[in-house]
Amino acid sequence: MPGLTFVSYDRCVISIEQQLSNRGAMVFGTIISSPRASLSLQQVLRLANVYLENARQETDETIALVLCHDAEVSLSQVKRVAKHTKDKDMREGIASIYDGLGDLLDNQGCGSEAQAFYNKSAKWSHRVPGSGQSSRSTSLRSSLKNVLHSRSTSTAETPADKTLPLSSAQSPHKQQQQERDLAVFLPADVFPTNVRPPTVAFNPPEQDARLNDTIQLACCLGLLQSGYEPDDILDPAVLNWLQVIKDDPDEQERLKTLATDVIRAFKRDELKDAKSVTEVVILAPVLENDDFRYVLKEFYSGIGQSDLLDIHQLEGLAHLVQNANSGAIDADDLVKVLSLLSTRLRDTHQQSTHHLHQLTMAVSHVLDAMADANVKGLDRKKIHEPLSLYLEELKKSSDSYLVYQAAYAYQALLCVPDDESLWQATLRRGGKVIQGVSGIVSAVKGLDLNGFVEGLKDIQQGMSEAGEAIQLVKKAYDGATSLIEDGQGFFECLKEGLSFGRKCAWYSALRGADVLIREGQLASFKRLVCEAPCRREAAFQWGVCQRLGVIAADSKWDLATRQNAVAFLGEMYRDDDVWGSQSNIKQWIVNILMQLSSIRGGEMQFVKLQLQGLAKKGDSAKQKIFQTFQENGPVSYPLKIALSTVRSPSLLDRVQERPDVEGHIRQLRKQRLKDRGTSVYIAPQAKASLQAPDEARFPLMEKVDEFLANDQKVFLLLGDSGAGKSTFNHELECHLWQSYKKAGVIPLHINLPAIDKPEHDMVAKQLRKFEFTEPQIRELKLHRKFTLICDGYDESQQTHNLYRSNRLNQVGEWDAKMVISCRSEYLGEDYRDRFQPGDRNHRSEPLSFQEAVITPFSMDQVYDYITQYVSVYRPLWEAAEYKNTLDLIPSLKDLVKNPFLMSLSLEVLPRMVDPGHDLSTTHITRTALYDQFIEHWLERGKKRLGEKTMSEQARSAFENLIDEGFTRNGIDYLKKLSVAIYKEQDGQPIVSYSRYKDEKSWKGPFFSRDEEKQILREACPLKRNGNQHRFIHRSLLEYGVALAIFDPQDWKERMVPETSAAQQTSTGPELNSSKNDNEDEASAVIGQEPEFISPLTWRSFIKEPSTLQFLEERVSQEPVFKQLLYGYIEQSKKDKKWSTAASNAITILIRAGYQFNHKDLRGIQIPNADLSYGMFESAQLQGADLRNVDLRGTWMRNVNLSNSQMTGVQFGEMPYLKHDSVVRMCVYSPDGENLAVGLENGKVIVYSTSNCETLWTLDGHNLGITGLVYSPEGDGIASSSEDGTVRLWNTGTGGCNHIVNGHGGGVTSVVYSSRGDQIASGSRDLTVRLWDVFTGECHHIWIGHTKDVLGVVYSPKRAQIASHGEDCTVRLWDIEAKKCIHVLSEHSHPVMIVVYSSQGDQLVSACTKQEVRIWEVDTGECRHSFKGDFHLYSNSCAFMYSPIRDQVARMIPGASVQLWDADTGKLLRKLDGDTHIPTSIVYSPQGDMIASAGDDNAVRIWDTETGVRRQTLIGHSDYVSIMAFSPKGDQIASGSYDTTVRLWDVGATTSRQISIGHSRWIHEIKCSPKGDSIATCSDDKTARIWDVETGICRHILQGHSGDLYSIAYSPQGDQIATGSEDSTVRLWNIETGACTHTLTGHDMAVYAVRYSPQGHQLASASYDRTVRLWDVRRSSGLRRRRRNGASMDIATGECRHIFIGHQNSVKSVAYSPRGDQIASGSEDGLLKLWGVEARTCLWTLTGHTERVNNVAYSPRGDMIVSTSWDKSMRLWDVTSGQCRAVIQHYKSGAKDIAWIEASGINYFVVGCEDGSVGMWQVRNDGDHCHVSLRWTRTKGELDVKGATIQGMQGLSHLDKQLLKQRGAVGEPADRFREASKKVSTMASVVSHLKTPLSEPTEDSTSKVSVSFEQLLQRVEQSNDPLLRDVVAAFVKNIH
C-alpha cells in the first residue's frame, strides 16, 4: 500500500488515506497560508512531511507533482541550516522525506527524478544510494547495501530519547501534551539506538574465476545493478572490482549467464528441495525482469500442479513476492498468484494446520505486495469474496496462531479493493448481511463499533435520496448503536473481526514496523510500538511479538540486538498495566521464548535466563501458563518463513561443472566467417506469399531480423530454383555470426541433404560435423539457444515436419528458432503443414509461423550485380558491355532476374555474343545458358589442369582425354554421374564416398583414384566437403539428367549416317491423326522402336518441374526430340513397359505447349501423367490407361474416352448441385460428411458430401429459408424461415422434432449454443428469443431493437448473445442476467454481419456501406473501424482485323480470345491469360503474334502458331482497355483505365516509357502509319498525340464537349479523326495539333470513326442509328493560313451520304480493303453491307439474336466476320451475303477476332468472355468451309462438352456426375460390376488351383460370380449410402 506515516499524538496509527479524509482541506489550507520563513526547523520539516502526505493521497498526478515540489522547496530551507548539523534524527528526518518523494515519483514513472531524491536521501543518512527505491527492498538487498560501505565507516546510531519527525500540522505544545499523556517507556537499554541491519560477507571474485556460492553471485549482480559511482564510500577491494568489471562486458555477461543457468537448473531439478528454493530466492532480487518472471512462473506451476502442497516452493513463492523489486512483478502476476493460493487454501482445508498456516502467510505476503503496488479492481466474485469467506471460516479454528494469521491476511485483503462500487456493496451487504439487529450483532461484535457507526453515518448522509438503501442503512445503524459498549476477549474479538470489512490500524502499524526493522531502525521501532495508540490491541501485540521473536532467532543480527528483542518480550509479558493482561498474548510470548531457548548452541543462554526470571513473577494465571508449557512444550510454529542455508553441491556448483563450449564456438565462428569469403552478393527482396504480387516486395534480411526478434518459431523461405535461397542462408549465417556475443544465440547452418535422416536429432548431427564432443552437445542442448538455418529441404527430399520431428522447444529439447528454405515448385497445396509448429490436431498459433518468397531481381539489382561482378572477378567485358547486351537481348533480361542464371550469364556471355552484331533478333534460353556454361567450365578446367604439375600417368591420361575430346568426355561424365545419382540415390544430390567401402559400388567409376576419373572429376562443376561430393548447384544435377535424356550433340552425330536410310524406309512414330499437320520437317532418324535406356523409361519426372523445364525448352528447339517423345507415346500402345516413358513424354509435350487436337491416342498408357490445361479437341482416347492422370483445366471437347481406365483421375473440380429453387444458404455438418442446403421455396435438402446423394428432404416451411445451422454434435439441424417459425430436425431420421412458434414476424436468423441445449433466434418482430432445444419452450424474450433483427450469434466463451439489425446497432445480451449489457451504435447503416473472436473478448461487425468495426466486448468500446473500397467496371469493346490474312479478333469483358476456322466454324486455338478477363486483342503486323489485355492490368503476348504465351507485361494499375502494335511489330502501346499509356518493347517485360496525361479512362489507342507517334482518346474529353521515342506528349487535342469514344489516323498519317459523345467528328492536323474541321450532323454520340483505305473518306457510326460518309480529301482551293505565315490543305468536311436502315444504335463500322464497301453492326442484331459508290444497302445479314459488337473484313475482302452478344460468331460471304459458318455454343461469348492468312490457309484468333484465347484453322473445300481447332489456351476450367465416356472404367460417382454436368455423353462402367468381373476371374483361378489335375470337379466359379452379381444388384437398387460405402470398401479390399 502507499507509504505510511506514524504519529505519536493520535489514539491510533492513521494511514495517509484516513489522515487526509479526517483533516481534509482545513489542514491543507493552513499549510498554504503559513509563511514558511516564520517557521522553526522542526515546523518546516513537518510542513514538508504534510506536503508529502498530501501528495501520496492525491489522485491527480499533476497536483501530486506540485506538492512534491513544495516539499522539496521546504526541505531546501531546512538543508541550508542543517547542512552541518550532527543531529542524526534531523538528518534521518530529511532523508526519510527524500525517500518518500523518490517513491512517489518512481511510482509515477519518473525514474531519473526519483533516483535523484534517493541519492539525496543517501547523503543525508549516510546510506548507500538507491536504498529507498522500494518500500519492500529485500533483506538481501539491504545486506548488500550495508556490506559495501567502507569498513572504516562508523555505525549510524539514533538515541532512543530523540523525537522522530512528525507528520502533523498540530502545534508543538499540543503535540507535547499528547506525548506526555500517551508515552510508554521501556528501559533505556532495550534497543537504545538504530543499528545496521544484518549483512553478508562479500569477497569479490577474480575474473573468469569459479564463484564460491550463490550469495557471492547475487552480491556481484546486485553491485553491478546498483549504479554506484567511484566516489561512493565502498570497501577498496569492492570498489576496485567494480571498476574492473564495468570495463569487461564479457565478465558481466558471464555472471548474468550463471544466474540464468541456475534458474534453468532449478527448472530441471525434479526434487526442488529447500536448498534449491533458497538459491533461487537469493538470486531473484538481482535477476532481470524476464528471468524473475520465469522463476515466478516456475513456482506458480510447481504449486499449482502438485497434488500435495509443496511447502518449500510455497515458502519460496512467498519470499519471491515479498522481496520483489519495483517493476519486477506486475498486478496481473499478483492477481494470478493470489488466485492460485486462494484455491490451494480452500483445497487444503482438511490438511494440517501447519500447511494452512504456511498458505495463509503466503497469501498475506502476496496481499501486502498487491497493496504496495496499489492493485485495484480485484474480481469480487472469483477471488475477493471466496477468499474473504474462507478467511472468515478460519476464525472457527481452535488454533490462535492460525486465527491471527487469517486476521492479518484479511486486513491485507481489505487494502486490495475489489471491483464493486460502494453503492453495490451497500445493497449487497444490506440485503444479505445487515438485516435486523441480530445480523448486526453477528457481524460487528468485538470490533471498533464507534468507527463502524461513524462510517454508517457518512453512508446514510450520502444516500439521503436512495429509497430502499436508506432503510437498510438505518436498520444497521440502529442495531449497531446498542453494541458499542460490548467487549470481548482477544480470541473472540479476533474471530469476529474477520466478519466485517473494516481496515484496522494495527495492520498499518505492523507494516510500518516491518519497514523500520528491515532498515535497522530498531530504536524507532521501539518508539513506534510504545507510542502507537493501538498498542493494547491484541492483534497488534501478537504481530509485535512475532517480529521480536524473528529478530531474536536470526543469527545475522548482532548478539546485543537479539538480547534486546528478548528483553522487549519480557517487558511485554511483565507490565500488565501498559500492555494489558490478555492470556493469549502471554501464552504467545512464553511460546516464542521457549522456542528460542531450544535453539542449539550456547548463544541463546540469555533466553533461558529471561525465562527463569519470568517464571518467578506474575500472578497465578501466568504461573499456570508456564506450568502448561513446561509440561507440554512449546507449540512449534515458525516465527517466519525462513530460508534454508545454501549447501554444496548447490545449483551453482552444478552449472559451473559444465564443459567449456564458448571456446569451440569462437573457433566455429571464425571458420564460418572465413569460409564465406569474398563473393558477389545482392540483398534479395521477397514477398509475403506465393500468391502475393512481385511488386509487394520488402527487404528479406530485415524481415528475418524481425522474425528473430519476436516470438515466432519457424520462418519458411521459398523461391524458384536459383533464386538465391542458399546464398541468402549463408549470408544470414555470416550476419548472425558477426553480431554474435558471448553466450548469445548460436547460428547453426544445416545443409539438410548432407545430414543422414535430418528428421531425427539433426542439430546434434550437425554439431558432430563441427567436431563438438558429446558433453559439449549436451551442454548446448541444456543451456543455449540456436537459430537453425536449414538449407535445401527439397534437395533432402523431405516430407517430414522437421520442427515437429526434432521436438524443437519442447521440454528438455533444443531451444531454437528455425529458418528453413525450399524450392517453391517442390511444394503442394497444403505445404504449410510441413513447416508449421504444432501437429494436425493441435495447431500452433498462426503468429508462430511466417513465410516469404524471394522475388526475381529487379533491373536495378541486376545492374548492381554486374557492377560488383566486374569489380571482383575482372572478366573480359566491362559493366557497360554487359548492360548493353541485356538491353539488346530481351529474352536474356528475363533470365538474369534469377540470381544463379545471372551468374551463369555473366560467365558465358562473352563467348556467346558478339557485341558488334545486331542482337535484336537473338533469343537466349535457360538451356542454352547451361549448355554454354558447362562447356566453358570444362574448357577452363582443361586449361587449369594443363598448367598443373602431374605425374606421368596422370599426364598421359590427360592427353588421351584431349585427343578424344576433353569437353565431350567431361559432358559424358556429368551425364552419367547425374543419371547414377537419380538411379541409385533417387536424386539425393550429395554422394558420400569411402574408398574401402564404395570402390566396387556404383560410386567407384566416378570417384575412384583412376587418373582419368580424377581429372574429369576435377574439371567438372563439383565441390567436395570431406568425403561428400555434390554439384555446385542443384540445377546442374537436373541439367545433367535432362541432357542424358536428350543430348542434341549425340543426335547430330547419329543423324549423319542414318538420315538417308531413314528417309527411305521409315515414316517415324508420329501419332496417327485424321490429317497430317506436317508439324515437323526434320528427318525421321528414330527407328520403329526407341531404345529402352533413357531415364524417361525408368523414372517419373512429372513432379520435378526444374528438370521438366530443361526438357520443355529442348523439345521446342529440337524437332528430333519431339519425334522421340511422340515415339514413346506410340510405343505405349503396344507394350506396358513404355508407360513411364509415355507419361513423361506427354507431360513434357503438354508443358511445352504442344496440343493433341484430333490425334489418335487410342490405347496409350500414360498413368500418373500431368495433362493439366492440355488441348485434346476431338482426340481419340478409347481404351487409354489414364489412371491417376491430372486433367485439371483440360480441353477435351468431343474427345472419345470410351473404355478408358480412369481410376484416381484428377479433374480438380466438383459437380454442382442443381435445384429448382434459389439456394439461400448451405452449411456443412460438424464432421464434414453432410451438407445441408436451404432453398427459397422453404425446403432443406441434406446431401452426402462423399457422393452428393440426397439423404433427406426436410419439407415443412411455407416460405424461404433464412437461417440454417447444425447442432454442435451434428445430430440436429435448426432452420428458420420467413414464415415466422423455427424447426428443429433430427438428422438421423429426417423428422421434425419441434416446430418453434412465437415470433410475430419472419425469423431472420437462428443459432445453436455451444452446448447444443439452446437456440437463439432473431426476427422481424424486433425481438430476440431464447429456446430450449429439448422441449421447444421459449426461455426468454429480449426487446430492444427498433427495427428488424437481421442476425444473432452466440459468444464462444461466455454466456452471451449478440444481435444485429436494421436499426444500425449491435446489442449484447447476458444470458444469465437476461439483460442487455451493451448497445453498439456507431454504425450509420444496417449491420449485416457480426462475428465473435475465438476468445469471445472482441466482436467484429460490418454494415451495408462496407464499414467494419471491431469492438471490445467487456466495455462496448469500438477499437477500430475500416472502410471498404469496391470498384465496378463497365464493359469495354475492342475490334480489329489482321492486316495480312482473313482473321478477326474481337472481345467482350469476361471472354477469352479464340482463333476459329472461318469456313467450318471450328475452334482452332484458345488463348488463356491465366485468370484475367480479356478486354482487348491485337495482331502484330507480321501476324506471328497476338497481344491480349485484360482486367488483371496485364498485357500478354502469344505465339499464333503454337498458342504458347511468350510474355506477360505488368505495369498498369487498372484495366488495360486498348492496345496497338507499332508498324514494325517491335513495340506495343497500351492504354489503361489508370489514365496512362505504356510503351513496351516486344521481348522485354518492362515498359520503356510511361505516358501519363489523361485524367480518365482511355477508350482507343492507334499507332500512326509511320510508327513515330501514337494517339489516344479518353473520357476526359481530350485526345493526345505521343512521341514514341521520348514518350512526350506532342499535342493535347481539346475541343470536344463530351467523352471521346473513337480515334483514327488517316492512311497518310497526317490527320487524325475523333468521334465523341457530343455528336461530332473532329479532324486534327497531326503536325500542329490544330482542329481543321468539325463534322456535325449526327444527332447522338459517335461510337466509331474509320478512314477509307485511300484516306479520302471517313465513316462514322452513331447512337442515332446512322452511318455517315464524310469527304476528307485535300482541296487546293481550301487553305488555312498558319500563324507563321505558311498555309496548309484542309478537308472539305462535307457529308457525302447518310446510310439509314438500322433500328438501333450503330456500334461498329469497317471499310472493305478496296474501300468500295462499308459494313456496320448494330444493337438491333443486324449486319449491313453498304455500297460506297451506289450508296445503297447491298445486304442485310441476319442471324445474330443479340447486338453485333464488331465487324471486320478479311484481308482479301471476300468475307466478313461479325461477333455478337449471343456468344456466336458468323462468317459471311460478301458477294452473296450468305452465312458461311457459325461458331457458337460456347460458355461465354466471343469479344474480339483477328484474321491471319499464311500459305493460302486462313486462321483466326478469338478472345472470349471466359478469359480464353484460341486459334482455329479455316479450310475451303468448294462450297463448304471446315473449321478445326489449331491450339487454345483456356482459362483453366475443365471442358468436356461432347466427350464420349461410354464404358469408362474406374470413374467415381462424383466424377461421373461432374462429366455429365459438363456435357459428356454415354454411360461409364459401374465400379461394382468392374469389381464383380475381377472377383469372378479370381474365383475361377482359385477354383482351378484347388482342383486336382486328374480329377476335374464342377467349377464353382459361376456360383461365386452369380452370388456376387446378385449382391451388387441389390446394393445398386438400395438408397442406403452406408451399405454402398461398406460394399465399396469390401470390393476395394478384394481387389
Side-chain angles (χ1 to χ4, degrees), residues 1485-1715:
Q1486 294 78 20
D1488 59 338
M1489 291 182 291
I1490 299 171
S1492 65
D1495 66 345
D1496 64 346
N1497 315 335
V1499 175
R1500 291 171 172 80
I1501 301 177
W1502 310 85
D1503 188 293
T1504 57
E1505 189 65 24
T1506 65
V1508 174
R1509 184 173 67 207
R1510 290 185 176 182
Q1511 292 173 260
T1512 301
L1513 310 177
I1514 304 296
H1516 285 295
S1517 60
D1518 209 335
Y1519 285 4
V1520 177
S1521 55
I1522 198 70
M1523 297 179 303
F1525 267 98
S1526 66
K1528 294 182 180 179
D1530 59 347
Q1531 196 177 80
I1532 294 177
S1534 59
S1536 167
Y1537 291 163
D1538 64 5
T1539 72
T1540 70
V1541 175
R1542 289 179 180 260
L1543 303 183
W1544 310 86
D1545 290 330
V1546 175
T1549 57
T1550 56
S1551 57
R1552 194 173 65 199
Q1553 297 145 350
I1554 300 177
S1555 305
I1556 302 177
H1558 288 296
S1559 59
R1560 298 190 65 187
W1561 293 352
I1562 298 172
H1563 276 285
E1564 276 195 345
I1565 181 170
K1566 292 290 188 292
C1567 279
S1568 68
K1570 298 178 182 178
D1572 59 344
S1573 67
I1574 60 173
T1576 59
C1577 63
S1578 168
D1579 273 358
D1580 64 3
K1581 305 177 183 179
T1582 71
R1584 293 176 183 252
I1585 302 175
W1586 308 86
D1587 187 282
V1588 169
E1589 290 298 324
T1590 65
I1592 297 174
C1593 180
R1594 293 180 179 176
H1595 302 292
I1596 301 176
L1597 312 182
Q1598 295 177 312
H1600 284 290
S1601 59
D1603 298 347
L1604 272 67
Y1605 292 140
S1606 184
I1607 193 168
Y1609 273 96
S1610 65
Q1612 294 76 25
D1614 57 348
Q1615 193 179 72
I1616 285 177
T1618 55
S1620 170
E1621 185 185 31
D1622 64 6
S1623 309
T1624 69
V1625 177
R1626 287 180 178 253
L1627 306 180
W1628 311 82
N1629 183 280
I1630 193 169
E1631 184 177 349
T1632 65
C1635 178
T1636 61
H1637 212 92
T1638 301
L1639 312 182
T1640 60
H1642 283 295
D1643 297 327
M1644 303 182 79
V1646 178
Y1647 282 116
V1649 292
R1650 297 291 184 266
Y1651 277 95
S1652 65
Q1654 296 77 26
H1656 299 157
Q1657 289 181 336
L1658 182 77
S1660 61
S1662 171
Y1663 198 81
D1664 64 6
R1665 307 179 185 181
T1666 68
V1667 176
R1668 290 178 179 255
L1669 293 185
W1670 308 87
D1671 188 347
V1672 293
R1673 290 176 294 181
R1674 302 292 185 271
S1675 172
S1676 60
L1678 295 173
R1679 305 178 68 84
R1680 176 174 295 174
R1681 182 71 55 187
R1682 295 183 183 174
R1683 291 182 179 179
N1684 60 7
S1687 62
M1688 61 179 183
D1689 292 335
I1690 65 172
T1692 64
E1694 180 182 350
C1695 180
R1696 294 297 187 182
H1697 193 72
I1698 304 174
F1699 295 113
I1700 302 175
H1702 284 293
Q1703 303 302 310
N1704 210 325
S1705 60
V1706 184
K1707 291 292 187 179
S1708 59
V1709 65
Y1711 269 98
S1712 66
R1714 294 193 299 272

Side-chain angles (χ1 to χ4, degrees), residues 1248 1251 1253-1256 1913-1925:
S1248 168
N1251 54 22
E1253 291 186 353
T1254 302
L1255 299 180
W1256 308 107
Q1913 289 176 1
R1914 292 181 181 179
V1915 170
E1916 291 173 7
Q1917 295 170 0
S1918 171
N1919 291 325
D1920 186 353
L1922 179 61
L1923 177 60
R1924 294 176 64 91
D1925 290 343

Side-chain angles (χ1 to χ4, degrees), residues 214-231:
T214 309
I215 294 177
Q216 188 183 34
L217 174 60
C219 290
C220 292
L221 294 174
L223 187 61
L224 288 172
Q225 293 176 8
S226 60
Y228 288 90
E229 297 299 329
D231 59 349

Side-chain angles (χ1 to χ4, degrees), residues 1132-1158:
S1132 73
K1133 297 179 180 180
K1134 308 172 185 177
D1135 193 335
K1136 186 177 181 179
K1137 75 175 184 178
W1138 293 95
S1139 61
T1140 300
S1143 298
N1144 284 320
I1146 198 167
T1147 298
I1148 296 167
L1149 291 168
I1150 291 293
R1151 288 174 60 99
Y1154 291 98
Q1155 304 188 6
F1156 291 82
N1157 302 318
H1158 309 286

Side-chain angles (χ1 to χ4, degrees), residues 269-327:
D269 185 10
E270 296 182 359
L271 186 59
K272 290 185 175 59
D273 58 9
K275 179 187 66 176
S276 299
V277 170
T278 299
E279 275 196 88
V280 172
V281 171
I282 288 174
L283 278 177
V286 295
L287 292 175
E288 301 290 342
N289 282 354
D290 289 343
D291 286 338
F292 182 90
R293 294 169 66 87
Y294 183 86
V295 175
L296 183 68
K297 180 181 177 182
E298 187 62 26
F299 279 126
Y300 178 90
S301 300
I303 296 171
Q305 295 173 5
S306 60
D307 295 331
L308 297 177
L309 185 63
D310 190 326
I311 294 297
H312 301 310
Q313 294 197 56
L314 181 63
E315 292 174 350
L317 179 63
H319 272 279
L320 213 62
V321 171
Q322 184 182 23
N323 300 321
N325 289 323
S326 177

